[in-house]
Amino acid sequence: EEMEKWERIDVSALAVSSVKGFVVRRPIVTGFWAFGMLLAVFAGGLPVDEAAQEAYSLMLQHAEVVDSRELGRSEVELKTLEDSYYRARGWFGACDDSCKQAEDKVQMARVEVARARARRDQALSEARREVGIWSTFGVQDVRRSFWAAVQSGKDFAARCTMYDAIFMSMGRDETFTTMAVKLVLQYVINLTMGLVGAFFYFVYNVYTLVMSYGATVLSGFAFFLLALVAGVAMITSYLGMIYGVVAGGGMLMLQHAVRQAAIESAQKEQIKALGQAKKSRAPAPKCPV
């Protein structure tokens, strides 16, 4: 009877009823989620006039020149000096006079890199102040920051799952199906941790973008809250979709296992009935006298 109940479950109807029940029980949370999804999908930012757009483009080109020339050259020089310094170091951190000179050069190169990065950031901030955080340029920067954070969370989950697969394959006598199910569940756990961490990284990036675009306190706080709501809605939607797919797949696998068990049980009962029928039709033993 219990097996028949599991077999008769309609996975799609169960999912729809669960969603409807959540919406009825949590209308405020659902409203915030719907508002965040609308922001994430349709918010494109305010258009800017041609003068501001031209000023933004010129200053952005200047920032790119600083990034490619000054900062790029300083970083290459720093990498070369760091390699020389690490080669000059002795065992267990021992450092002679030539090593100390190399270390001083590395420190000066790091200061120069910091100065070039500060000049690049200053030029980029001046360009961004021409259009503002609410502009299409600001919204595009926030979108790029969000998807970059999501991709980093997915990469984290993939790396952790690869290590989990290596550890699972060492000295364990398990079937391929069991390992596959465990890896899927472990990937979901790793993806959850990765996306949660990526969301906090995105929140920090939004704060730095708001400061870089030179928004006022109230304007920046309002933009930050809207970006926060949209980010939460997107992350929860993505994770909810993953959880739904995994749960639905698990239910389908369970129903398949129940059907197989029912078929095997029916076959055993049929074989048992045939055996009993043969015994009942067997002739009675004759008397030897």
Side-chain angles (χ1 to χ4, degrees), residues 240-257:
M241 182 182 64
I242 296 296
Y243 295 158
V245 170
V246 173
M251 290 292 296
L252 292 177
M253 291 179 62
L254 184 60
Q255 287 182 342
H256 178 72

Side-chain angles (χ1 to χ4, degrees), residues 201-217:
Y201 179 70
F202 164 71
V203 170
Y204 173 75
N205 282 339
V206 172
Y207 169 76
T208 58
L209 285 173
V210 169
M211 298 300 294
S212 179
Y213 273 90
T216 61
V217 176

Side-chain angles (χ1 to χ4, degrees), residues 78-100:
L78 174 61
K79 183 65 170 58
T80 303
L81 292 175
E82 284 180 340
D83 293 339
S84 301
Y85 167 65
Y86 291 137
R87 287 194 300 268
R89 291 182 61 183
W91 291 94
F92 304 105
C95 192
D96 54 10
D97 293 337
S98 61
C99 175
K100 291 181 180 179

Side-chain angles (χ1 to χ4, degrees), residues 18 21 52 55 69 95 144 147 161 187 192 200 204-205 237 246 248 289:
S18 299
R69 293 183 181 178
C95 192
R144 282 193 291 266
W147 291 116
T161 307
Y187 176 75
T192 303
F200 285 106
Y204 173 75
N205 282 339
S237 299
V246 173
V289 179

Side-chain angles (χ1 to χ4, degrees), residues 40-62:
V41 174
F42 296 107
L46 300 177
V48 296
D49 54 19
E50 294 182 358
Q53 186 173 355
E54 185 177 357
Y56 173 79
S57 299
L58 291 175
M59 293 181 181
L60 185 63
Q61 290 176 2
H62 175 64

Side-chain angles (χ1 to χ4, degrees), residues 128-141:
R128 288 170 172 172
R129 291 173 189 272
E130 292 293 329
V131 292
I133 190 63
W134 294 92
S135 65
T136 54
F137 300 101
V139 174
Q140 288 176 2
D141 284 342

Side-chain angles (χ1 to χ4, degrees), residues 242-289:
I242 296 296
Y243 295 158
V245 170
V246 173
M251 290 292 296
L252 292 177
M253 291 179 62
L254 184 60
Q255 287 182 342
H256 178 72
V258 168
R259 293 191 187 99
Q260 289 296 115
I263 293 173
E264 292 177 0
S265 177
Q267 290 176 350
K268 290 180 180 179
E269 291 293 335
Q270 187 177 5
I271 294 173
K272 184 178 179 181
L274 290 175
Q276 291 177 353
K278 288 181 180 179
K279 289 182 180 180
S280 62
R281 290 197 301 267
K286 297 182 180 179
C287 181
V289 179

